[in-house]
């Protein structure tokens, strides 16, 4: 890598995106090369404004992921690094464990498959639970069989992101918020970046743009090979007087075709219990409300061949999710499979988050983390859940690609 060190106007690395992946990458770069001049460019006025600040706050165990995949590897290592980071920096967190509950006969073989995956992914202490043992851990849950996963935890990823930002600033990284990256040209062996707050030069660019990562890649002259399709996840919250229905984390057995679907209960580290999220097509990349529409975003989605192929494959699942989005009754019915006592007025609508899902031209939903490299550039094009859990490990991997 051609070094920019020494010239104050030139950065060694510019990281686009102040979500947890961009922040963890900048930190890993500084850890491996303390002398590096690093800029972190974030479009919003604050860090963690999008996926990182709107997620479920779960430190995932790594139970679900295909053994050998990047998700499986990085989740296991990232989870422990996250617990360690939170401990070191006094960020509230808890390793509370979770139960995965089979409520129908046809889910039992899938729960066994999850157990096999968990063991293959190195999880220790997994325990089968009988219906009585499920009730010992979660007194209001009805299930045929359960799996206890002790490694799962909870945290506020916004707090993690803010701490990472402070560490970066103290280490001399130029953290620029309210500065949107708008273009990139190559000149004299360096990259000239344009942002809404001015220009800068750097030797290497790392794109951690989340919901905008495909557009950032195209602005850099790189074909991302995928399109980001935004899926909103909507949450309900349990009323304070009904929070006793849930002790920790209660998950259904996921459908292997759509592992990110399936509403669950999550106790939050700051207090309260969330139920959700669902997954509906968002009409705007950063569309947190049903009424949020961007004609540019929608036109791009509708023009994309991959979207129509995806829709023809998954339309039934999509309609069910839409139905659950508009019908509280349908949402409650899904939750009642886990906690039969739950009633309509036990929950109220709370926040939402938007997932950046990379979809390829054949309509395939990219499952694993996906990175595209180009000369002097690294583009992170698919960093879905558990990327927050795995962020410190993902950051190390990307830093390794930059420093070689
Ligand atoms: C509903 C939901 C629940 C989830 N639950 C969990 C969970 O419990 N556990 C878990 O591990 N993961 C979870 N995830 C996934 C996790 O939140 C994401 O994988 C992770 O936050 C991705 O981080 P990121 O930095 O890649 O993206 P983001 O946090 O979205 O950050 C990208 C940043 O890039 C900035 N940006 C974009 N374009 C530009 C530009 N042109 N110039 C400058 N800046 C730009 C954006 O403003 C944004 O701040 C969940 C996600 C969602 C949506």
């Amino acid at each position: 890598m051609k070094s920019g060190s020494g010239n104050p106007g030139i950065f060694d690395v510019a990281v686009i995106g102040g979500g947890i992946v961009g922040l963890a990458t900048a930190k890993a770069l500084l850890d491996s090369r303390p002398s590096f001049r690093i800029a972190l460019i974030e479009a919003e006025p604050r860090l963690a404004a999008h996926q990182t600040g709107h997620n479920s706050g779960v430190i995932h165990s790594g139970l679900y992921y295909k053994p050998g995949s990047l998700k499986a590897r990085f989740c296991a290592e990232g989870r422990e690094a996250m617990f360690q980071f939170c401990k070191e920096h006094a960020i509230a967190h808890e390793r509370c464990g979770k139960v995965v509950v089979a409520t129908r006969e046809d889910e039992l073989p899938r729960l066994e498959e999850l157990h096999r995956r968990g063991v293959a992914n190195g999880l220790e202490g997994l325990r089968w639970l009988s219906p009585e043992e499920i009730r010992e851990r979660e007194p209001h849950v009805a299930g045929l069989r359960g799996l206890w996963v002790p490694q799962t935890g909870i945290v506020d990823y916004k707090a993690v992101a803010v701490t990472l930002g402070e560490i970066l600033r103290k280490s001399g990284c130029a953290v620029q918020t309210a500065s949107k990256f708008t273009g990139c040209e190559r000149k004299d062996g360096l990259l000239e970046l344009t942002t809404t707050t001015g220009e800068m030069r750097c030797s290497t660019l790392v794109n951690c743009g989340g919901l905008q990562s495909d557009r950032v890649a195209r602005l850099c002259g790189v074909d991302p090979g995928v399109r980001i399709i935004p899926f909103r996840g909507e949450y309900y919250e349990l009323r304070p007087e009904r929070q006793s229905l849930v002790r920790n984390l209660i998950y259904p057995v996921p459908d292997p075709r759509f592992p990110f679907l399936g509403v669950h209960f999550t106790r939050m580290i700051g207090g309260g219990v969330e139920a959700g999220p669902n997954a509906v097509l968002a009409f705007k990349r950063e569309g947190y409300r049903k009424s949020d529409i961007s004609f540019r975003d929608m036109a791009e989605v509708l023009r994309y061949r991959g979207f129509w192929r995806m829709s023809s494959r998954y339309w039934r699942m999509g309609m069910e999710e839409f139905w659950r989005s508009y019908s509280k009754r349908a949402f409650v019915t899904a939750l009642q499979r886990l906690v039969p006592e739950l009633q309509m007025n036990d929950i109220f609508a709370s926040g939402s988050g938007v997932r950046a899902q990379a979809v390829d031209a054949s309509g395939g939903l990219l499952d694993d983390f996906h990175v595209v490299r180009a000369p002097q550039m690294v583009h992170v094009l698919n960093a879905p859940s558990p990327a927050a859990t795995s962020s410190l490990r993902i950051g190390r991997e990307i830093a390794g690609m930059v420093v070689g």
Side-chain angles (χ1 to χ4, degrees):
M1 181 184 127
K2 182 168 173 162
S3 176
S5 300
N7 185 330
I10 303 177
F11 293 92
D12 292 293
V13 186
V15 178
I16 315 292
I20 201 160
V21 174
L23 290 159
T25 300
K27 176 166 184 307
L29 282 162
L30 276 173
D31 287 346
S32 55
R33 291 281 195 283
S35 63
F36 260 13
R37 282 180 48 77
I38 296 179
L40 184 131
I41 303 162
E42 167 54 48
E44 302 291 349
R46 60 193 162 88
L47 300 173
H50 292 300
Q51 295 177 93
T52 302
H54 291 89
N55 62 30
S56 303
V58 177
I59 302 181
H60 285 293
S61 60
L63 176 72
Y64 301 116
Y65 317 116
K66 211 163 137 197
S69 63
L70 292 177
K71 275 188 178 177
R73 281 172 45 214
F74 291 179
C75 185
E77 293 173 39
R79 178 222 316 141
E80 292 311 310
M82 186 57 68
F83 279 124
Q84 185 60 32
F85 183 83
C86 292
K87 222 180 283 171
E88 270 171 29
H89 298 280
I91 299 170
H93 68 286
E94 220 179 294
R95 199 191 285 256
C96 53
K98 77 169 175 183
V99 287
V100 186
V101 183
T103 55
R104 290 191 320 238
E105 291 284 339
D106 64 305
E107 291 176 341
L108 294 173
R110 284 197 256 137
L111 191 59
E112 284 185 10
E113 172 57 21
L114 272 192
H115 181 266
R116 268 192 295 278
R117 281 195 175 190
V119 170
N121 290 339
L123 292 182
E124 287 170 7
L126 294 175
R127 262 196 58 198
W128 287 112
L129 303 176
S130 66
E132 296 72 40
E133 287 168 325
I134 295 174
R135 282 189 185 269
E136 275 167 30
R137 293 191 184 269
E138 292 288 352
H140 302 276
V141 171
L144 299 175
R145 201 177 190 198
L147 186 60
W148 169 247
V149 188
Q151 287 83 359
T152 307
I154 50 176
V155 70
D156 175 0
Y157 285 111
K158 255 190 302 219
V160 175
V162 166
T163 303
L164 281 167
E166 282 164 8
I167 294 172
L168 291 173
R169 284 191 178 103
K170 277 188 200 146
S171 316
C173 171
V175 179
Q176 302 177 9
T177 49
S179 176
K180 184 175 175 184
F181 166 79
T182 53
C184 169
E185 278 183 19
R186 292 176 188 278
K187 210 167 185 187
D188 304 326
L190 291 170
L191 302 174
E192 276 200 353
L193 312 189
T194 322
T195 74
T196 47
T197 53
E199 290 176 359
M200 66 169 67
R201 286 191 287 168
C202 66
S203 304
T204 304
L205 174 146
V206 181
N207 164 13
C208 301
L211 284 154
Q212 302 287 336
S213 55
D214 55 341
R215 288 181 178 157
V216 170
R218 265 183 262 121
L219 285 171
C220 295
V222 172
D223 175 7
V226 291
R227 185 72 51 97
I228 297 295
I229 308 268
F231 285 94
R232 190 174 52 253
E234 296 153 330
Y235 292 96
Y236 283 85
E237 225 177 284
L238 261 64
R239 293 196 186 285
E241 59 276 19
R242 296 298 273 164
Q243 283 169 12
S244 56
L245 289 175
V246 175
R247 279 193 184 158
N248 287 304
L249 276 65
I250 307 167
Y251 277 63
V253 179
D255 181 331
R257 292 167 307 157
F258 316 113
F260 55 91
L261 292 186
V263 288
H264 49 261
F265 293 93
T266 311
R267 179 162 66 80
M268 294 178 285
I269 193 73
V273 176
E274 263 180 359
N278 56 0
V280 287
L281 178 69
F283 300 141
K284 184 178 178 191
R285 291 204 184 195
E286 289 84 11
Y288 295 99
R289 293 168 307 183
K290 288 185 180 65
S291 55
D292 286 340
I293 297 178
S294 154
F295 291 104
R296 176 193 173 194
D297 290 356
M298 277 320 289
E300 259 187 28
V301 167
L302 296 175
R303 274 201 306 267
Y304 187 48
R305 206 172 29 153
F307 169 73
W308 292 106
R309 291 186 167 162
M310 176 190 79
S311 306
S312 69
R313 248 186 263 170
Y314 305 127
W315 65 271
R316 190 184 296 273
M317 175 278 279
M319 296 311 288
E320 281 170 13
E321 288 295 305
F322 256 112
W323 173 234
R324 249 200 295 278
S325 168
Y326 284 93
S327 161
K328 184 179 178 186
R329 161 74 54 207
F331 209 102
V332 169
T333 303
L335 292 169
Q336 281 171 333
R337 278 188 49 204
L338 296 168
V339 179
E341 280 170 61
L342 189 86
Q343 297 301 318
M344 284 281 275
N345 53 7
D346 289 341
I347 59 172
F348 60 94
S350 58
S352 68
V354 184
R355 301 176 180 87
Q357 176 62 55
V359 176
D360 64 25
S362 71
L365 309 175
L366 265 67
D367 184 41
D368 213 354
F369 300 142
H370 182 59
V371 170
V372 168
R373 299 175 72 170
Q376 294 174 270
M377 294 179 190
V378 180
H379 296 272
V380 180
L381 287 159
N382 199 47
S385 183
T389 304
S390 320
S391 52
L392 296 168
R393 178 63 185 85
I394 296 175
R396 253 183 42 220
E397 188 74 9
I398 299 169
M401 292 177 186
V402 171
V403 300

